[in-house]
Structures are given as C-alpha cells and as structure tokens.
Amino acid sequence: MTAAAETVPGAAAPAAPPPVLGRVRRRTVAAFLAPAVIALLAVGIVPLIYAVWRSLYDFNLTRVARTRFVGLDNYATVLTDPTFWAAMRRTAFLFVTAVPVQIALGLLIALLLHRPGLGMAKALTRLALVLPMATTYAVVGLLAQVTMNQRYGVFNQMLGWVGLGPVNILGNPQNAFWAVVFWDVWQWTPFVALVLLAGLSTVPPEVEEAARLETRSHWTILRHVQLPFLIPSLVAVLILRTADTLKLFDMVFTMTRGGPGNATEFIAILIERTGNRQFNIGMASAQAIVLLVITIVLARLYVRLFYRET
C-alpha cells in the first residue's frame, strides 16, 4: 500500500519546509561541522597526505638540494630492514607482556567496583583511577627516572631496607625493558578498568540478579552473563592500547632514550631517530606509513575475531 493510499481521507498532506528554511538548516549544520572538519584536516588528513608524499622521495635534511623521487624504494628498504623489524619485535613483546596484565588487573578492579553497596568508596576510587592516566607520558618517564635511580631512587632505598644492594634498573638492558612494562601497566591499567566498568554497567541488573540466584560461581557469571556485554569494551581497549603501544614514545624517550643500547628502542623511537637524528625524512615517513598500515590491519583483525565477521 502506498503512502498516498494510507493517508486519512480529508486530512491535509504535511507541508514541505520552505526552501529558505531548508537552506538555513543546511548552513547551520555546516557551521557546526566546520570546526571539527577543519581540525581533522589540519591535524590528521593533511599531515598524513604530506607523510605519504614525502615517503616517495629520497628527502634528507642534510642534502635538501639533492632530493629526488624514488617511488616505493623507501618502502622496500623499510620492509627489508632488520633494524625496523627488530624494533617491531621489541614493540610486539612490550604489547604481549603489558596489555594482558592491564586487561587482567583492569577487569579485576572493574569487577570489584561493580559490586553493589560501595557508595562513596566507589566514587573516590574512580577519581583515583583517573590520576595515572591523566599524567602525561613525559612526566611518567621523569617519575620513573627519579624513583628508579640507582643512587637515590625510592626503589633502591626500599631494597636497602630489606638488606638488598642497589640495582641498576635503567642502565641494564633487561631491567630497563621491564621498567617500561611496569610503568606502562601502572599508567594504563586504570583506563582499562574504567572502560570495563562502563561495559559492566550495561549488564541488565535483573539478569545479573537472576544469575546470582542460580549459581555462586563468579567465574560462571562472568563467562556467561557479563562477558558478552564486555565484548565491545574489550575490542575498544585492544584497539586503543594497540595503537598507544605502537606509538609509545614520550615515556620511553624521557626514561631511557631507547637505551641502554637498543633495549628499549621501540618502533616510535626508531622513527624519531631516523627522522630527527639522522634527518632522513623520506625513510622516517615510510616507516610511519608502514606502522599505520600495521595498526589498521590489527584493528580489523580484532573486530573480526570478537564479532566473528565473515
């Protein structure tokens, strides 16, 4: 049955908005969207286009006059560069050691805060959880330097209280890597906890209450009742933490500058060294674009894994 046939006999058809009013609405929408579109172009699209363009050139700041178009040669060099893949392996190892711990601890905190009857304690705990993630990466790196200094750091002073000698943390390659893992977990576990707590708030209370009447097993309730509602939050956490780990720079640079040796030279540190210390802007741009493609592929894999897309 058509719309005309469904119209009540004798009722007047709704009048179309005047053309002038339609133009005013379109202009209003455009005015509200313009700042966001301009900001996106300025900080996202334009720099990305510029990076792609520079990645096609042999562009070094020490010999700008000899800049030449090389096509995909920079990408071929990056994909066959053992230094690039060594940095990617270190970054991947950082991810698989830090992020699962963040998710496990964050889920535990979220489940504890999700319990009924906490009242003001829940609000104060949420406020406290914001503080580490509100601290900038560079400040966290400086905090790590101060607390883990071999001579006057708080960590070594605490070891001295139990009769253990000072430990060279940031000057030892193995220790420096695990120090980065520790501070990354410290900073971003609260973020994971807050996101998962928001996911738990979407579970219907009556469903949870019925499940608690059926079983006392917290694991059963988590697996069969709460976890299905946590899937979107877990996907968001994985995508955001993957992107953050792949571009981790500020904290590591202020802590170790990628050292000692290359123990903490993650992929973002390598890109910075290539561009800012070796002045090879073309190669650094190619490395950054390859990193962007890897991030997009991983994000897509997470979505397919959790939502079983075909």
Side-chain angles (χ1 to χ4, degrees):
M1 180 178 283
T2 62
E6 293 177 351
T7 305
V8 178
V20 175
L21 182 59
R23 288 197 296 270
V24 170
R25 287 177 177 173
R26 286 194 295 270
R27 289 174 182 172
T28 303
V29 172
F32 277 105
L33 288 178
V37 173
I38 292 172
L40 179 62
L41 288 172
V43 303
I45 305 301
V46 173
L48 177 61
I49 294 173
Y50 180 78
V52 172
W53 176 56
R54 279 304 182 195
S55 69
L56 302 176
Y57 285 82
D58 178 16
F59 179 55
N60 195 301
L61 294 178
T62 60
R63 42 181 175 83
V64 177
R66 287 183 285 171
T67 299
R68 59 190 179 89
F69 180 80
V70 295
L72 299 178
D73 286 358
N74 285 332
Y75 291 97
T77 303
V78 169
L79 294 176
T80 56
D81 182 12
T83 303
F84 176 83
W85 292 112
M88 282 299 303
R89 284 193 296 272
R90 282 189 289 271
T91 307
F93 189 52
L94 172 65
F95 175 81
V96 299
T97 52
V99 175
V101 175
Q102 294 169 12
I103 292 177
L105 293 178
L107 180 60
L108 177 61
I109 295 171
L111 290 172
L112 291 175
L113 292 178
H114 185 61
R115 297 171 60 189
L118 295 180
M120 183 60 68
K122 184 174 183 179
L124 292 176
T125 305
R126 281 181 173 179
L127 180 62
L129 289 174
V130 174
L131 296 178
M133 49 188 275
T135 308
T136 61
Y137 273 124
V139 173
V140 174
L142 293 174
L143 181 64
Q145 275 194 340
V146 172
T147 57
M148 293 187 166
N149 185 276
Q150 186 174 0
R151 295 181 59 188
Y152 53 81
V154 174
F155 182 80
N156 276 303
Q157 289 184 7
M158 293 173 64
L159 289 179
W161 296 343
V162 294
L164 299 177
V167 178
N168 186 7
I169 301 175
L170 299 182
N172 179 284
Q174 254 190 337
N175 294 341
F177 177 86
W178 291 109
V180 173
V181 172
F182 171 82
W183 286 101
D184 193 63
V185 169
W186 175 84
Q187 185 174 23
W188 290 109
T189 295
F191 166 78
V192 176
L194 290 175
V195 173
L196 296 183
L197 183 60
L200 286 172
S201 67
T202 64
V203 182
E206 60 275 9
V207 175
E208 254 187 329
E209 187 175 348
R212 295 186 194 282
L213 292 175
E214 290 290 331
T215 177
R216 289 182 172 270
S217 172
H218 297 290
W219 167 248
T220 302
I221 295 173
L222 172 64
R223 181 182 176 185
H224 295 287
V225 177
Q226 295 170 329
L227 194 58
F229 291 91
L230 285 176
I231 294 299
S233 300
L234 286 171
V235 173
V237 164
L238 278 174
I239 292 175
L240 292 173
R241 293 304 303 132
T242 299
D244 281 338
T245 304
L246 288 175
K247 65 182 181 65
L248 180 61
F249 172 78
D250 311 55
M251 183 181 72
V252 180
F253 190 78
T254 52
M255 279 179 65
T256 63
R257 293 186 179 270
N262 56 5
T264 58
E265 188 180 62
F266 304 111
I267 188 63
I269 298 290
L270 174 65
I271 294 173
E272 185 274 337
R273 177 166 67 85
T274 305
N276 289 348
R277 286 180 268 177
Q278 298 177 355
F279 308 108
N280 194 342
I281 304 301
M283 190 64 66
S285 299
Q287 291 172 342
I289 298 302
V290 171
L291 179 61
L292 175 63
V293 172
I294 292 173
T295 305
I296 293 173
V297 170
L298 287 175
R300 181 63 179 170
L301 286 176
Y302 292 149
V303 174
R304 289 183 63 88
L305 175 65
F306 281 92
Y307 289 102
R308 295 291 191 267
E309 291 184 355
T310 56

